[in-house]
Amino acid sequence: EMVVDAIPDTSQPVNVVFEGGVTLQGFHMSTARPTTETNLEIEFDWKIDPNVNPRMGIFVHLVPSKGDPAKDQIAADHVLLSDLLAFEQAPPNKTIRDIVNVTIPFDAGGKDWTVYVGVWNVRGNGKRRAVLDAGGTTVDDGRVELGKFTVP
């Protein structure tokens, strides 16, 4: 189910509030140790304010500990929650499950990876939306760090 009343028990609560009317309530990764050439599923649990700003998207960056972080990162930027709904189409004050699938490339092995997420303006200036309340997470460049993993 995509629309639920609360975050699933499997999700780690974070409650990160972004400018524009969206809150990341929690997240869950399908595995803590993905291997190369496999799929990593990440679930983000969002709560949408009734007055949410339209024209926003989500960026997901997996950044390696070695190499060029900008060039070698794995990006899963998207506009539609679970490829179905824009923020402004989602029912307000419910938990919206946003499933993102990332393929871990063959050259990702032997590196530590940091998972970041944030919200950005899809139309207009393309800028990242500010983090208004980090909910105990670390904020870095308009995005929040959700965790780390190592690809063997």
Side-chain angles (χ1 to χ4, degrees), residues 4-33:
V4 294
D5 290 325
I7 69 172
D9 292 338
T10 54
S11 288
Q12 177 180 334
V14 290
N15 290 310
V16 177
V17 180
F18 289 93
E19 173 189 40
V22 294
T23 299
L24 177 62
Q25 295 178 297
F27 76 99
H28 171 76
M29 294 194 319
S30 59
T31 180
R33 288 191 58 87

Side-chain angles (χ1 to χ4, degrees), residues 9-66:
D9 292 338
T10 54
S11 288
Q12 177 180 334
V14 290
N15 290 310
V16 177
V17 180
F18 289 93
E19 173 189 40
V22 294
T23 299
L24 177 62
Q25 295 178 297
F27 76 99
H28 171 76
M29 294 194 319
S30 59
T31 180
R33 288 191 58 87
T35 56
T36 59
E37 299 184 14
T38 61
N39 186 58
L40 173 64
E41 182 181 280
I42 308 173
E43 175 179 324
F44 299 99
D45 304 307
W46 298 96
K47 182 178 176 184
I48 313 303
D49 187 82
N51 300 316
V52 68
N53 185 313
R55 303 180 295 273
M56 294 188 305
I58 301 158
F59 64 89
V60 181
H61 295 163
L62 282 60
V63 179
S65 58
K66 300 178 197 170

Side-chain angles (χ1 to χ4, degrees), residues 115-145:
V115 180
Y116 294 99
V117 68
V119 177
W120 60 288
N121 294 324
V122 175
R123 296 182 199 99
N125 62 15
K127 290 185 178 179
R128 293 179 177 182
R129 290 293 184 146
V131 177
L132 302 179
D133 182 347
T137 64
T138 301
V139 179
D140 176 23
D141 193 24
R143 59 191 182 181
V144 292
E145 179 183 318

Side-chain angles (χ1 to χ4, degrees), residues 1-11 41 43-46 81-82 84-85 91 94-99:
E1 238 180 299
M2 184 178 174
V3 180
V4 294
D5 290 325
I7 69 172
D9 292 338
T10 54
S11 288
E41 182 181 280
E43 175 179 324
F44 299 99
D45 304 307
W46 298 96
L81 302 164
S82 290
L84 294 172
L85 290 174
K94 294 280 192 180
T95 298
I96 312 299
R97 298 176 65 218
D98 178 27
I99 308 297

